[in-house]
């Protein structure tokens, strides 16, 4: 069985542009030819699609090891761990009909079956690695397509349940850490850049979520009329270079003009984590964000940035339960989170 | 604001009827009301009668999955691949709006496509590359792409 607390994904220190870009993700939406989309499918249709995908996933094996997990066989805590790691969506977990996920052992790749579309292939890697994650999902896509026919239209491309995913069905996204721009109150620049490039900007946990820890998720909105390479390039070559530059300059500006205030934020965050007895997710994420900023700007050097990256995920509610007690009452999570975060950061 | 059952515009005609004890509503924008043959200059009562007349013919539904446009508007999801053919007229505006006015796929395609469709998509991709090469004054590259397109067109004619 997969170890849901595998931490390779969060080694941004060694990854390209890891000081600003936490992770890169690519996902492809596909549907099987000859079947209704999931929202109009019967239980039998869903079971048939699931079985076809199970067989196809086994055939994929060469070089890629995928664990096939029917969602109904997944206990609630493990399901939430995968949601918190963005390997499956809450929608997939909450759907009622037969559905499954195939997850790579290294927790980088996953294939959701019967989410909004029959197939959602995705891959996440640390830092700016959009080309690598695209190669990963494209490879899986082609391998699945050897035994499965996809619904496709010559003008509309890959047909998806929602018209917002038509064409390539490809969504690229990056998690960026922008505490510098937040402090200098210049996040409007990012929003304007996103608007001008038809990119969506969201919080840490996706649509409708807050930017906990000053972490933002940016992704392409348009999927039709551009090649996958163009969509990837829009984020990797057009959006990110100026954003990384702005964020680094904002950090430098703060050091030059108000280092004491910056240090105050960083050391208050460390102090809070060292001494707090109750930590909400929001406060803990904010502290981690400031500590990460301190490491990235060399104001502190005795905490490993990869441990901070891992902590962003490991202090989420299901992870707190996983590390302590699966029956832990919700009300005890803030208390246990304090102990866990100190342990994770060796504080 | 209530929107038209057939598009996203505000509805200006509203009809509520009870059929077999079930309330049935029709909302139409000005354009679709006219398209449905409703004389917008007539009184409200005759408009309702006309809508009733129109609605006697069943609302268009997908032959494969039974999806209707009101269903789609509620779920914001289509029911099956055939829905895109069935509702092509209604979806055209929606697709252009959410896809930045784009309506033609370029990029990768599945391996099950017939030779002629594959060729058509390849030509479409190459035309875009040709356009970009000309815009950046990469004329040598443009000439190579032009020859590739010509060869593909010749294969088409064979």
């Amino acid at each position: 069985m997969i170890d849901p607390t595998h931490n390779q994904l969060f080694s941004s220190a060694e990854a390209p542009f890891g000081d600003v870009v936490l992770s890169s993700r690519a996902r492809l939406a596909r549907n099987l030819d000859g079947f209704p989309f999931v929202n109009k499918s019967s239980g039998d249709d869903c079971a048939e699609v699931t079985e076809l995908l199970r067989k196809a996933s086994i055939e994929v094996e060469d070089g890629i090891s995928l664990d096939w997990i029917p969602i109904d066989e997944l206990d609630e805590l493990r399901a939430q761990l995968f949601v918190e790691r963005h390997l499956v969506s809450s929608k997939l977990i909450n759907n009622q009909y037969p559905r499954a996920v195939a997850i790579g052992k290294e927790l980088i790749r996953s294939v959701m079956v019967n989410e909004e579309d029959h197939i959602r292939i995705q891959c996440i890697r640390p830092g700016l690695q959009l080309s690598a994650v695209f190669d990963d999902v494209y490879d899986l896509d082609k391998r699945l397509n050897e035994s499965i026919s996809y619904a496709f239209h010559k003008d509309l491309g890959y047909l998806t349940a929602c018209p917002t995913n038509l064409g390539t069905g490809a969504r690229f996204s990056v998690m960026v850490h922008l505490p510098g721009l937040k402090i200098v109150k210049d996040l409007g620049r990012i929003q304007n850049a996103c608007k001008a490039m038809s990119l969506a900007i969201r919080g840490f946990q996706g649509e409708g979520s807050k930017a906990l820890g000053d972490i933002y998720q940016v992704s392409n909105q348009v999927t039709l009329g551009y090649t996958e390479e163009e969509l990837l390039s829009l984020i990797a070559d057009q959006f990110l270079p100026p954003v990384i530059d702005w964020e680094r300059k904002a950090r430098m500006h703060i050091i030059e003009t108000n280092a004491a205030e910056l240090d105050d934020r960083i050391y208050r965050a460390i102090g809070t984590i060292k001494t707090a007895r109750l930590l909400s997710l929001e406060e803990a994420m904010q502290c981690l964000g400031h500590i990460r900023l301190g490491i990235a700007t060399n104001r502190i050097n005795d905490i490993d940035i990869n441990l901070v990256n891992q902590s962003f995920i490991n202090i989420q509610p299901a992870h707190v339960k996983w590390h302590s007690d699966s029956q832990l009452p919700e009300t005890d999570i803030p208390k246990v989170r304090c102990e866990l975060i100190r342990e994770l950061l060796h504080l | 604001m209530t929107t038209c059952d057939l598009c996203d515009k505000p509805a200006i005609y509203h009809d509520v009827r009870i059929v077999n004890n079930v309330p049935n509503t029709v909302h139409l924008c000005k354009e679709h009301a006219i398209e449905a043959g409703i004389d917008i200059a007539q009184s409200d009562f005759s408009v309702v009668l006309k809508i009733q007349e129109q609605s006697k013919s069943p609302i268009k539904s997908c032959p494969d999955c039974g999806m209707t446009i009101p269903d789609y508007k509620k779920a914001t999801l289509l029911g099956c691949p055939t829905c895109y053919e069935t509702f092509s007229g209604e979806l055209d505006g929606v697709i252009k709006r959410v896809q930045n006015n784009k309506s033609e796929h370029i990029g990768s395609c599945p391996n099950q496509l017939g030779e002629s469709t594959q060729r058509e998509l390849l030509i479409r991709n190459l035309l875009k590359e040709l356009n970009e090469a000309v815009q950046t004054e990469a004329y040598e590259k443009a000439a190579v792409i032009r020859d590739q397109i010509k060869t593909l067109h010749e294969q088409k004619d064979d």
Side-chain angles (χ1 to χ4, degrees), chain B residues 7-65:
Chain B
C7 67
D8 284 339
K9 291 179 185 161
I12 59 162
Y13 292 110
H14 310 277
D15 176 25
V16 182
R17 284 159 293 125
I18 308 295
V19 180
N20 297 331
N21 291 326
V22 179
N24 222 329
T25 60
V26 176
H27 305 286
L28 294 175
C29 67
K30 188 177 170 186
E31 287 80 4
H32 279 112
I34 293 169
E35 202 178 297
I38 294 158
D39 182 355
I40 55 166
Q42 285 183 274
S43 71
D44 284 352
F45 182 67
S46 58
V47 165
V48 170
L49 287 180
K50 285 235 177 183
I51 292 174
Q52 282 179 330
E53 195 61 35
Q54 288 290 324
S55 61
K56 274 180 190 165
S57 56
I59 294 175
K60 185 161 67 173
S61 63
C62 174
D64 278 4
C65 71

Side-chain angles (χ1 to χ4, degrees), chain A residues 197-256:
Chain A
M197 294 184 199
S198 294
L199 298 173
I201 181 160
R202 303 186 169 99
F204 182 74
Q205 285 150 323
E207 204 159 343
S209 66
K210 285 184 184 173
L212 297 176
D214 302 323
I215 297 170
Y216 297 82
Q217 195 185 107
V218 176
S219 59
N220 57 301
Q221 279 181 316
V222 175
T223 53
L224 174 69
Y226 298 91
T227 63
E228 289 84 350
E229 289 77 11
E230 285 175 316
L231 294 172
L232 187 161
S233 169
L234 181 67
I235 298 181
D237 304 325
Q238 294 181 49
F239 173 76
L240 278 177
V243 168
I244 291 168
D245 188 45
W246 295 338
E247 173 60 25
R248 285 177 176 168
K249 281 184 177 151
R251 292 176 185 180
M252 285 305 296
H253 176 77
I254 300 161
I255 292 169
E256 284 162 14

Side-chain angles (χ1 to χ4, degrees), chain A residues 275-308:
Chain A
T275 56
R277 290 297 177 264
L278 295 173
L279 270 178
S280 68
L281 180 63
E282 195 168 345
E283 187 180 7
M285 291 288 283
Q286 196 57 63
C287 289
L288 287 173
H290 285 155
I291 292 173
R292 194 178 191 281
L293 173 64
I295 302 166
T297 51
N298 292 319
R299 307 302 290 179
I300 47 172
N301 51 26
D302 52 355
I303 300 176
D304 180 350
I305 197 164
N306 286 341
L307 294 180
V308 179

